[in-house]
Amino acid sequence: DSHTAKNKKRCARKILLGFLSVTLIAAVGLITASIIYQKVYYGNRWYQGTYIDGIDVSGQTLEDSKEKLKQKYSNYALLIKGRKNGNLTINGEDIDYQFDISSNYDQLYETQHQAFRLFPATNHYTLDFAISYDKKKLSDVIAKSELIAGSGSYQIIAPEAATVKFSKEKEQYLYVDEVKGNTIITDHLLAAIDECLRQVQTNMDIT
């Protein structure tokens, strides 16, 4: 009986070791297959889950992703939302806006492929592209806009601090709320627009 029990234990141990060996070999095989797949398929493509300035470039070649980016910004426009429902759209053609993909784009691609990725991950990147525009034309567009000059449907209101005023009608002091207004300091607006243009942003909220 003692001999039989020992044999059973040996058999159980062999079965367990065999199972662990098969599992280990399968795991190694799966990892190896994953590595080979990534090296072959993503060798000249962006990794899965890659977003650049909000554009999904997953699985695209470097050149295809560049073309997709150029198409998105071929008719560039910046929409600015102001207070009191004020708005302004700056069309790229009105300020001679020029967009070009900088070397940072290629560098990001090279950096991503230098690192090994076993499991899928989502990565969002924001790049400063090579852009140029006519600053004088932008200043003219801003100066004539309703956000700065006002219009028949958009009144410029100066800000007022909260205060206390005496009401003759009620014969008592009343609290008067702050008036935020919608007056804009032009230089500050131009600086904010410049940052958006350099990052190729399409929306700007200054409310």
Side-chain angles (χ1 to χ4, degrees), residues 72-90:
K72 178 181 178 180
Y73 296 122
S74 60
N75 296 310
Y76 177 77
L78 174 62
L79 177 61
I80 302 174
K81 180 182 178 182
R83 291 178 180 174
K84 309 291 184 181
N85 296 319
N87 61 76
L88 167 64
T89 299
I90 300 176

Side-chain angles (χ1 to χ4, degrees), residues 87-200:
N87 61 76
L88 167 64
T89 299
I90 300 176
N91 294 307
E93 58 185 12
D94 293 336
I95 59 173
D96 295 339
Y97 187 81
Q98 298 293 324
F99 166 82
D100 187 30
I101 295 174
S102 67
S103 59
N104 291 339
Y105 197 82
D106 289 22
Q107 289 173 5
L108 176 62
Y109 181 84
E110 292 298 328
T111 300
Q112 186 182 74
H113 284 77
Q114 286 173 3
F116 173 71
R117 181 186 294 180
L118 181 59
F119 300 105
T122 301
N123 290 291
H124 293 268
Y125 302 100
T126 300
L127 294 177
D128 286 331
F129 296 103
I131 71 99
S132 63
Y133 63 93
D134 190 315
K135 292 187 176 182
K136 185 178 184 307
K137 288 187 176 181
L138 174 62
S139 295
D140 291 341
V141 169
I142 297 302
K144 295 175 183 177
S145 70
E146 68 173 14
L147 290 180
I148 298 297
S151 67
S153 59
Y154 188 76
Q155 182 181 359
I156 301 298
I157 302 172
E160 294 182 12
T163 186
V164 175
K165 291 185 178 180
F166 182 77
S167 171
K168 293 182 178 180
E169 181 182 346
K170 295 186 177 181
E171 296 184 345
Q172 63 180 8
Y173 284 95
L174 299 176
Y175 175 79
V176 180
D177 289 332
E178 170 193 14
V179 176
K180 290 185 177 180
N182 56 359
T183 303
I184 296 174
I185 299 174
T186 305
D187 288 345
H188 292 181
L189 177 60
L190 285 170
I193 291 174
D194 178 77
E195 184 176 348
C196 285
L197 293 176
R198 295 192 181 284
Q199 294 181 357
V200 203

Side-chain angles (χ1 to χ4, degrees), residues 47-71:
Y47 286 144
Q48 190 66 30
T50 302
Y51 293 81
I52 300 176
D53 289 296
I55 300 175
D56 185 1
V57 297
S58 303
Q60 296 178 24
T61 64
L62 180 62
E63 293 305 317
D64 285 346
S65 64
K66 284 182 178 181
E67 190 59 35
K68 188 174 183 179
L69 205 61
K70 288 177 181 177
Q71 289 177 359

